[in-house]
Amino acid sequence: PGLETAEVVRRIRRTAGEQVPLLVLTSCDFEDIAEEASAAGVNAFLPKPFFLSSFQRAVGQIIGDAPAEEPQEEAFSLEGLRVLAAEDNELNAEILMELLDTEGVICEVAPNGQAALERFLHSTPGEFDMIFMDVQMPVMNGYEATAAIRASGHPGADTIPIIAMTANAFAEDEKAALDAGMDAHVAKPLDVELLKRVIRQYTEKERTD
């Protein structure tokens, strides 16, 4: 807020010169800002959420250790993923279930944080692969539910990925989610491709742990 990306870049360049690599981290479509920002002196663009692999590729491009073109990613399927979703808004829950159903995800919805907590506590180990947690909910909000799950002693409480879902996409909201014990933060309305990237990060991490 207050200053456009290209102007920030121009001012940095006037102060720091041309030798310092400058990367833009953004949730926007790169094409919206790429031409003006590149002309101002941006070396590379990184998508949000931040992934180390994307950062490594960008740095490799800048220092000449990687090809300019990003390698083609393997097709990634969500087929068979089992998700517990805490969502109090019926319309949002219906939309979420339809989106996930088209990807082959098995989704069970809990109408608030308390219900999600109780459902998880009564689940068998491994019954759910992941939890999607709305933040603003009646009875028990997403932060409280997440903290309660992490402290519950359930066999999967420490390891199950919990993804915050919220209409607020500010840095302080993301920090609050992580502080509560959530693993990642995605903004509403949900972008399926972005959600896939987040899910892939945690499913691949589980395979390597």
Side-chain angles (χ1 to χ4, degrees):
L3 209 58
E4 291 185 352
T5 301
E7 181 57 27
V8 174
V9 172
R10 282 190 285 267
R11 294 188 187 188
I12 291 174
R13 285 298 182 212
R14 285 198 293 268
T15 302
E18 299 297 324
Q19 300 307 311
V20 179
L22 200 156
L23 289 72
V24 167
L25 182 65
T26 178
S27 56
C28 300
D29 188 335
F30 294 165
E31 294 181 1
D32 295 341
I33 61 172
E35 185 175 351
E36 186 178 8
S38 297
V42 171
N43 297 94
F45 297 88
L46 292 175
K48 289 184 180 180
F50 178 89
F51 293 124
L52 182 59
S53 57
S54 299
F55 178 61
Q56 289 173 326
R57 282 196 297 268
V59 171
Q61 292 169 20
I62 291 170
I63 65 177
D65 287 350
E69 290 297 322
E70 198 169 293
Q72 190 72 26
E73 288 191 356
E74 299 176 12
F76 179 68
S77 173
L78 303 183
E79 185 79 34
L81 191 75
R82 294 157 301 179
V83 169
L84 173 62
E87 172 60 73
D88 66 299
N89 184 290
E90 291 185 10
L91 178 58
N92 287 344
E94 185 178 339
I95 292 171
L96 175 64
M97 290 189 70
E98 287 184 4
L99 284 173
L100 295 178
D101 185 61
T102 61
E103 298 291 336
V105 176
I106 302 164
C107 179
E108 182 175 332
V109 173
N112 57 62
Q114 180 68 43
L117 170 63
E118 292 174 359
R119 179 64 182 90
F120 177 75
L121 294 181
H122 288 91
S123 66
T124 58
E127 182 176 348
F128 295 110
D129 299 305
M130 191 166 291
I131 298 174
F132 294 162
M133 187 71 74
D134 188 23
V135 170
Q136 300 298 328
M137 291 183 290
V139 186
M140 179 183 282
N141 67 39
Y143 302 134
E144 295 166 337
T146 297
I149 287 172
R150 294 302 190 205
S152 68
H154 184 282
D158 292 335
T159 56
I160 189 166
I162 301 178
I163 311 301
M165 301 186 303
T166 174
N168 299 324
F170 299 109
E172 58 266 28
D173 298 298
E174 185 169 0
K175 183 179 184 302
L178 299 178
D179 288 347
M182 299 178 185
D183 296 282
H185 176 279
V186 295
K188 294 180 181 180
L190 291 177
D191 179 328
V192 173
E193 292 306 315
L194 175 60
L195 191 61
K196 275 186 179 181
R197 291 208 301 269
V198 173
I199 292 172
R200 183 172 192 167
Q201 181 185 24
Y202 289 99
T203 53
E204 290 183 345
K205 181 177 183 295
E206 286 181 349
R207 294 189 194 117
T208 57
D209 282 350

